[in-house]
Amino acid sequence: ERGVRIKVIDKVNHPAYGQRGLFAARKFSPGEWVIDYAGELIPDTQLNGRSTDYCLKYVENHSIDAGKLGNESRFVNDFRGIATRPNVEFAYDQTSPPVVGFKALGKAIKKGEEIVATYGKRYWAGRGMDMCQDSSSRDCPGKHGLSLPEPTTSDASFLCHLCIKEVHTFSNYHYCSMCNYGICSQCYQRC
């Protein structure tokens, strides 16, 4: 068993509602390899003209494109609008041949939890999305609006969904409790 499962997203406020996501079929420990990224190995010289959302840099002069073929890893969604932070990161295992895939970040991934990464600023910029140029960026994707989170006694940190910086104080973070979307005060003021 791979330890992951593809599911149709049935939550209406999920940014990928009606589409698919990848979920943990078992618990993953922090730092544990979750899944390899598989697809077609493409020389970078052949990338021009391809329209795919599933291309990932592999090794020098080559990328992996899972647009037409691949494995479950192609269903990892971007964390924005789903969680306060990613629970996996793109990672490289320098074995021979090298392997690219997803590794659990600093917190365990529970069974049933959606596996989410950050696609990165270049991904969104390449799709013409500069969220600060969009007047709706001050609201969450579900248009619920943003507010300051309720202070708690525990140490908390948040990840800004726009600049991907960690925020350590409640007063510097604007958050939607319905869909977990949030941005730092600096991005909130800039938008």
Side-chain angles (χ1 to χ4, degrees):
E1 179 184 328
R2 290 187 186 266
V4 295
R5 177 175 95 211
I6 300 167
K7 284 178 41 179
V8 173
I9 306 293
D10 58 2
K11 293 181 181 175
V12 178
N13 65 345
H14 193 291
Y17 172 69
Q19 299 173 44
R20 290 171 178 76
L22 191 64
F23 292 80
R26 66 171 181 82
K27 179 184 171 187
F28 287 95
S29 300
E32 184 177 354
W33 194 263
V34 175
I35 190 168
D36 294 353
Y37 192 79
E40 183 182 4
L41 185 62
I42 305 292
D44 288 347
T45 56
Q46 294 179 12
L47 287 177
N48 290 343
R50 276 186 181 247
S51 62
T52 178
D53 285 338
Y54 300 97
C55 206
L56 185 65
K57 185 69 177 164
Y58 175 53
V59 292
E60 186 177 336
N61 301 322
H62 285 82
S63 295
I64 296 175
D65 184 358
K68 293 181 181 171
L69 60 101
N71 64 2
E72 299 96 328
S73 64
R74 67 191 299 256
F75 295 98
V76 172
N77 286 315
D78 187 84
F79 78 100
R80 290 164 183 82
I82 300 169
T84 56
R85 63 182 61 229
N87 56 13
V88 295
E89 66 181 343
F90 292 105
Y92 293 88
D93 182 350
Q94 297 300 324
T95 57
S96 184
V99 177
V100 64
F102 293 97
K103 182 174 75 171
L105 288 169
K107 190 176 169 186
I109 301 171
K110 299 174 188 165
K111 182 178 179 178
E113 186 177 345
E114 185 171 0
I115 297 170
V116 292
T118 178
Y119 290 176
K121 293 177 193 175
R122 255 185 20 208
Y123 173 88
W124 296 111
R127 280 136 191 88
M129 296 177 75
D130 179 358
M131 296 181 91
C132 284
Q133 297 300 319
D134 178 359
S135 62
S136 66
S137 64
R138 289 185 81 159
D139 290 330
C140 63
K143 305 294 184 224
H144 304 119
L146 301 176
S147 61
L148 294 174
E150 292 294 320
T152 65
T153 56
S154 64
D155 291 331
S157 64
F158 308 94
L159 201 63
C160 176
H161 289 147
L162 293 181
C163 69
I164 318 299
K165 291 182 182 170
E166 197 159 3
V167 179
H168 296 284
T169 58
F170 291 106
S171 61
N172 291 329
Y173 192 73
H174 299 266
Y175 172 78
C176 174
S177 61
M178 293 184 73
C179 66
N180 292 322
Y181 178 84
I183 60 175
C184 69
S185 291
Q186 187 175 11
C187 286
Y188 187 81
Q189 291 169 0
R190 192 172 57 232
C191 288

